[in-house]
Amino acid sequence: MKNEHGHILVVDDHKTNRLKLSLGLKQQGHTVALAENGQQALDMLRAESFDVVLLDIIMPELDGYQVLEQMKSDSKLRDIPVIMVSAVEEIESVVRCIEMGAEDYLPKSFDPVLLKARLGACLEKKKLRDLERAYLQQEVMLRQSEKLATLGKLSAGMAHELNNPAAAAQRGAGQLQAAVAQLQQAYLTMSEVSLSHAQLDSLRAFDQQAQERAEQPFDQDTLARSDREHELETWLVDRGIENGWEFAPVLVGLGTDAGELGSVAEDFTDSQFPAVITWLSCTYTIYSLLEEIGHGAGRIAEIVKALKTYSYMDQAPIQSVNVHEGLDNTLVMLRSKLREGITVRREYAEDLPKIQAYGSELNQVWTNIIDNAVDAMNGQGELVLRTRQEDGWVVVEIEDNGPGIPDEAQANIFDPFFTTKSPGEGTGLGLNISHNIIVQKHGGEIGVRSAPGKTCFEIRLPINSETAENA
Ligand SMILES: Nc1ncnc2c1ncn2[C@@H]1O[C@H](COP(=O)(O)OP(=O)(O)OP(=O)(O)O)[C@@H](O)[C@H]1O
Ligand SMILES: [Mg+2]
């Protein structure tokens, strides 16, 4: 066995035992720290990192069992191997310690050969365990950064897309509260000026008109509209309606004007008319706000639905994938990034067959490549998405007319963490993730041809593969 050296903690309440062990360990090349009681041992373990603990069982206050127990319940100390040091007559206690998770034991009668053999085995195990843990941690971090990398690209755009309708709905709900309170007031006032059946019928007709108009507001020329508002406001104020300035824009939106309201006014008395105007204005405002809120919520639902199709949520991981749908959904998800200055040309093959694939992973690939293309074109240029069938393959090309990838970089672009972007703009994982998804998961191929003014990523996916990982 290879001779491992370690940093060893010796815990014993007897000074002679401590020194004897310490000497023996030092002679074998280890470094040693000493603790004279259980509590001191735990404090040292938490402050410093040790490879092995040699632990006496019988000690005053905190004994060996308790130290062992506390170590095993502490995730930071759990994996440090513990060798119990015991007198021969304590054999039953040793069994108990091993059941509690101690690695091994040594008799108190100090034997350098035995010490070397047991310690060597322990250190070797500890080293393997540390390696395993480091590997797992790295693996977890890599998976996490992969997920975050794609998520980051989408979430900025998504936040932007969701923000407008959400803000509109929220604003609408706030205004609705005030409008409903005003409507209640109008009702109370109207009940005081008791209306006839005929008058109520004309209000019902207005209610209907308000509902319809709110659903389909008409497009009015801004200048003409403001003229009409001004005219109506003057007319209302002349009729003694104080809030004329507040009601005029609403009533113009409803499509009425001074002429129409003049004939309505004839049906009501002077004391009834202001209440009727308030009621009419509030009613239309409320219908319009409801419409606005509904519209905002509907837009949010639409975006969430696109996100669901994009991510193939609620679906089996491998399915029959329509590549064109995936590309189109990706364009929807990246809409805010593509909006200005980028034209997208789609040259899709007719009758492109569906392929057996991991749909959401493929969408990650399209996202990463399109994201890079848009970055490269710096917001100005043309993006071409091309598909074709070739023998047993579906071929997808994503092309941009940006500055291209320098020859010396082309060999590295698929390496993890290779990036030419400044920190915060790129992690260098996009193409590495894409490569893994296409090559490892699908048994496909991914490559690039690039020159200034034309960069084309070509992805080839087998149509009828058992996807590679399952093959
Ligand atoms: N269409 C392209 N035109 C020019 N250079 C590109 C293009 N696509 C990729 N590159 C280069 O390849 C590098 C690696 O791309 P990759 O997507 O792996 O990482 P990244 O975009 O830098 O960061 P991220 O992890 O955010 O995607 C980029 O930094 C860029 O230099
Ligand atoms: Mg990228």
Side-chain angles (χ1 to χ4, degrees), residues 31 59 142 145 187 220 281 289 312 315 365 373 376 397 452 463:
T31 55
M59 292 183 289
L142 192 62
S145 36
Y187 272 134
Q220 300 189 71
S281 161
L289 287 172
Y312 287 75
Q315 290 191 39
V365 174
E397 287 183 352
I463 295 172

Side-chain angles (χ1 to χ4, degrees), residues 175-457:
Q175 290 171 358
L176 194 59
Q177 210 169 22
V180 170
Q182 210 176 12
L183 183 70
Q184 297 290 21
Q185 281 303 322
Y187 272 134
L188 291 176
T189 320
M190 284 206 305
S191 67
E192 282 168 9
V193 293
S194 49
L195 302 171
S196 69
H197 281 297
Q199 286 175 327
L200 285 171
D201 279 346
S202 89
L203 292 191
R204 276 188 202 105
F206 264 123
D207 182 54
Q208 185 68 30
Q209 184 183 338
Q211 250 182 78
E212 283 162 13
R213 183 61 65 219
E215 275 169 33
Q216 271 183 329
F218 48 33
D219 245 348
Q220 300 189 71
D221 172 77
T222 325
L223 206 63
R225 190 185 164 121
S226 105
D227 283 349
R228 235 173 268 148
E229 284 178 16
H230 185 68
E231 187 194 351
L232 191 57
E233 184 184 332
T234 319
W235 185 83
L236 288 168
V237 173
D238 287 348
R239 304 279 314 190
I241 294 167
E242 288 167 16
N243 297 4
W245 58 270
E246 190 184 333
F247 298 145
V250 181
L251 295 170
V252 168
L254 179 60
T256 56
D257 54 25
E260 192 183 1
L261 285 182
S263 63
V264 175
E266 285 169 16
D267 295 340
F268 295 91
T269 67
D270 284 352
S271 64
Q272 288 171 333
F273 192 63
V276 168
I277 288 296
T278 311
W279 168 85
L280 182 57
S281 161
C282 291
T283 303
Y284 179 57
T285 302
I286 288 170
Y287 284 134
S288 302
L289 287 172
L290 285 173
E291 197 60 34
E292 225 173 281
I293 295 169
H295 199 261
R299 178 81 190 110
I300 293 171
E302 206 176 271
I303 295 168
V304 171
K305 191 171 152 213
L307 186 63
K308 260 174 133 175
T309 12
Y310 170 89
S311 64
Y312 287 75
M313 238 184 235
D314 319 327
Q315 290 191 39
I318 305 181
Q319 63 279 108
S320 184
V321 169
N322 177 334
V323 171
H324 293 162
E325 251 174 48
L327 288 166
D328 288 346
N329 277 325
T330 306
L331 292 176
V332 172
M333 301 303 290
L334 290 172
R335 188 156 57 189
S336 62
K337 192 161 180 169
L338 290 165
R339 194 165 281 151
E340 281 152 28
I342 307 266
T343 47
V344 181
R345 202 168 80 226
R346 295 179 305 168
E347 296 176 2
Y348 290 172
E350 280 176 29
D351 305 323
L352 191 77
K354 289 188 170 182
I355 57 172
Q356 286 299 308
Y358 295 87
S360 97
E361 266 94 340
L362 284 188
N363 285 347
Q364 279 192 44
V365 174
W366 315 140
T367 305
N368 286 326
I369 297 177
I370 295 174
D371 183 71
N372 283 344
V374 177
D375 282 349
M377 294 187 286
N378 207 7
Q380 289 287 332
E382 188 181 48
L383 179 75
V384 186
L385 307 180
R386 215 175 278 121
T387 61
R388 64 174 189 273
Q389 180 180 354
E390 211 172 82
D391 306 321
W393 304 84
V394 156
V395 184
V396 178
E397 287 183 352
I398 300 177
E399 191 181 295
D400 67 73
N401 60 359
I405 308 172
D407 285 345
E408 62 277 14
Q410 282 188 31
N412 304 321
I413 54 171
F414 294 108
D415 294 344
F417 305 113
F418 175 82
T419 181
T420 54
K421 298 174 188 171
S422 44
E425 281 175 11
T427 56
L429 280 175
L431 288 178
N432 179 254
I433 298 169
S434 306
H435 187 273
N436 291 346
I437 292 173
I438 297 297
V439 179
Q440 266 120 327
K441 280 205 118 165
H442 291 90
E445 293 164 13
I446 178 169
V448 67
R449 298 184 298 275
S450 181
K454 187 167 163 177
T455 298
C456 181
F457 279 85

